[in-house]
Amino acid sequence: MDQRKMAVELLDFLERSPSPCHAVANMAQLLEENGFQRLGEMERWELHPGGGYYVVRNDSALICFRIPEGAWKGFHIVASHSDSPTFKIKENPEMESDGYVKLNVERYGGMLCAPWLDRPLSVAGRVAVREKGAVRTRLVCVDRDLLLIPNLAVHMNRQANEGISYNAQKDMLPLLGTAEAKGSFWKVVAEAAGVEEEAILGHDLFLYNRQKGCIWGAGEEFLSCGRLDDLQCGFASLKGFLAGPKERWAAVACVLDNEEVGSSSRQGASSTFLRDVLWRINCGLGGDEEDYLCRIAGSFLISADNAHAVHPNYGEKADPVNRPKLNGGIVIKFSANQRYCTDAYSAAVMKELCREAEVPYQVFTNRSDMLGGSTLGNISVSQVPVATVDIGLPQLAMHSPYETAGVRDTGYLIRALERFFV
Ligand code: ZN
């Protein structure tokens, strides 16, 4: 596999995916191009051996699956998430002061605030519109430099370089224009969505960083872009999934939303979305509840969410022994407190998979005196109790609007998942 080519494809996918809804739409398009059939959750499903299908819930989560040809034993699943920390546009967002119009926003997830300042931003997401007497949703991306959150000059805050604490209601409001811009925000959004301004009844709009992704470093060994956590894993999951049908297992890839805010929405990992789809596959192929429980007991889930690489300037923040490196391969994550689901068995299965796929793996654990983050694996398992390994790709600056990863690692995960799914 040409790992650089995969990195270039990844950057293209990330740039076309400024919001979770866009990521899901791009994945759906790739599935359509590969002959997958879209199923609606409101319809009865007719599934056929050898068939490939996908379901989208609420525009921002997607589950695709392939039905095995013959007798089958259970599910091989990979899960990632479609959302990244950002700022959400609030209702009635325009605020006027001192001849400016700025936008009222609120935090979505736990972002690094500082890197959002002094760079061109715009908005993307979806709007809900009145259309022929019904309410429909439309994706929208304002594809131009529209907003910016200006820093306060150092002359007005002499302590700026000693550390700033950011107040989301004061420090993080993006500037839209001068006083003449009043009333223009919804016009801009309506135009980008191709609808009448009056037709917009609701919105899930988020800020996104306009800076394009790039490959850099002395040997072009790094790449940087927004939303690597977790669309790098989402992209690799889908690529691996598309590699081919399983003989005795139903192959499933899911990209769930709202991981950054606890996963407890109807399209998040703590919802019944994955369980509903697995149950419908089981029943659609003539299985009963007993069959379902047998299949679940034999199934395996790879929860793929990015991991922290050791930082070049903060080596002391990493575990003294387990120190993931960029381009060092898939990171298997461990936590005694089960913030990660990995256990002896699932780690061993993952290591064997990497060995067979001839890709390197490494290990992440938090320092024993640091809490660290969590992910979707242990939440998803509460709905679908299958053997699970938590993995990710190593990255720096997690939750910045411009994150950094290794050029080779996406290809490693694709190759391992091809092995898992073939
Ligand atoms: Zn993540």
Side-chain angles (χ1 to χ4, degrees):
M1 176 184 302
D2 183 340
Q3 286 161 312
R4 181 171 166 114
K5 185 167 162 271
M6 279 304 121
V8 171
E9 255 189 67
L10 167 69
L11 290 181
D12 174 61
F13 173 77
L14 291 169
E15 276 172 26
R16 290 186 291 111
S17 305
S19 81
C21 295
H22 288 83
V24 162
N26 289 326
M27 288 176 174
Q29 190 193 333
L30 192 59
L31 288 160
E32 293 277 342
E33 287 165 9
N34 281 273
F36 280 71
Q37 184 191 330
R38 184 169 181 146
L39 300 170
E41 285 195 276
M42 286 161 63
E43 299 148 15
R44 293 190 68 84
W45 293 0
E46 275 198 30
L47 307 177
H48 302 286
Y53 307 89
Y54 72 97
V55 203
V56 172
R57 185 177 279 188
N58 203 17
D59 296 331
S60 61
L62 178 147
I63 299 179
C64 52
F65 56 93
R66 228 193 271 268
I67 306 293
E69 296 276 1
W72 60 295
K73 294 170 110 178
F75 305 96
H76 277 183
I77 310 163
V78 62
S80 58
H81 66 88
S82 61
D83 60 323
S84 304
T86 175
F87 294 87
K88 188 168 193 219
I89 308 292
K90 288 165 104 170
E91 296 297 307
N92 306 307
E94 290 188 8
M95 296 167 70
E96 280 183 276
S97 66
D98 298 310
Y100 297 115
V101 177
K102 53 192 183 181
L103 295 183
N104 197 9
V105 296
E106 61 182 314
R107 286 167 182 266
Y108 176 87
M111 75 291 290
L112 285 168
C113 284
W116 281 91
L117 299 165
D118 296 337
R119 55 173 68 208
L121 307 170
S122 194
V123 291
R126 66 174 187 173
V127 286
V129 295
R130 184 191 309 112
E131 211 174 272
K132 294 180 189 140
V135 171
R136 298 196 199 288
T137 56
R138 290 246 194 154
L139 298 199
V140 55
C141 172
V142 178
D143 189 13
R144 68 180 174 91
D145 300 337
L146 180 72
L147 303 163
L148 189 143
I149 311 168
N151 249 306
L152 181 65
V154 70
H155 316 78
M156 295 174 184
N157 180 9
R158 293 285 178 188
Q159 278 76 50
N161 294 322
E162 272 86 72
I164 298 180
S165 85
Y166 292 94
N167 178 322
Q169 191 62 68
K170 175 169 177 58
D171 302 309
M172 302 310 297
L173 304 184
L175 180 61
L176 172 68
T178 52
E180 294 84 70
K182 186 173 186 286
S184 66
F185 180 67
W186 289 114
K187 282 191 182 58
V188 171
V189 171
E191 194 188 329
V195 300
E196 296 294 322
E197 193 183 333
E198 302 70 42
I200 298 176
L201 301 173
H203 62 92
D204 295 310
L205 293 173
F206 301 92
L207 299 187
Y208 76 94
N209 176 13
R210 291 282 297 164
Q211 185 169 353
K212 291 209 173 303
C214 71
I215 292 177
W216 60 280
E220 303 207 315
E221 59 270 66
F222 304 128
L223 64 83
S224 295
C225 192
R227 305 173 295 283
L228 284 172
D229 170 18
D230 185 32
L231 293 183
Q232 187 179 16
C233 285
F235 171 80
S237 300
L238 200 59
K239 282 284 192 184
F241 169 83
L242 287 170
K246 279 246 169 206
E247 295 285 322
R248 291 176 302 148
W249 302 91
V252 182
C254 50
V255 186
L256 302 163
D257 193 9
N258 303 125
E259 191 276 339
E260 300 295 357
V261 291
S263 293
S264 58
S265 64
R266 75 179 163 110
Q267 59 278 356
S270 77
S271 77
T272 58
F273 189 23
L274 178 59
R275 193 181 68 189
D276 294 347
V277 170
L278 301 186
W279 175 247
R280 289 176 83 159
I281 295 172
N282 173 73
C283 298
L285 298 175
D288 60 15
E289 191 155 5
E290 179 81 359
D291 293 321
Y292 180 75
L293 293 174
C294 294
R295 282 168 179 152
I296 286 295
S299 295
F300 196 82
L301 171 77
I302 297 176
S303 162
D305 192 3
N306 268 5
H308 301 294
V310 63
H311 192 287
N313 299 342
Y314 301 93
E316 73 280 7
K317 295 288 182 185
D319 180 77
V321 179
N322 302 294
R323 304 167 75 80
K325 312 258 185 312
L326 301 180
N327 293 315
I330 294 165
V331 180
I332 304 176
K333 307 183 196 177
F334 292 82
S335 153
N337 298 318
Q338 290 296 297
R339 293 171 79 94
Y340 306 127
C341 300
T342 314
D343 58 18
Y345 171 76
S346 64
V349 170
M350 192 66 210
K351 289 176 185 175
E352 280 296 274
L353 188 65
C354 290
R355 186 181 58 78
E356 287 164 15
E358 297 179 354
V359 300
Y361 64 82
Q362 41 192 344
V363 164
F364 175 84
T365 65
N366 280 300
R367 276 182 65 104
S368 305
D369 52 6
M370 276 174 60
L371 208 53
S374 63
T375 179
L376 68 165
N378 59 345
I379 298 169
S380 161
V381 159
S382 64
Q383 289 291 341
V384 182
V386 296
T388 299
V389 62
D390 267 300
I391 63 147
L393 293 175
Q395 71 160 99
L396 297 171
M398 189 178 283
H399 292 190
S400 164
Y402 209 62
E403 300 171 321
T404 290
V407 159
R408 292 206 288 277
D409 291 317
T410 310
Y412 289 144
L413 181 54
I414 294 173
R415 214 189 301 160
L417 292 175
E418 281 176 357
R419 180 79 203 176
F420 181 56
F421 282 125
V422 172

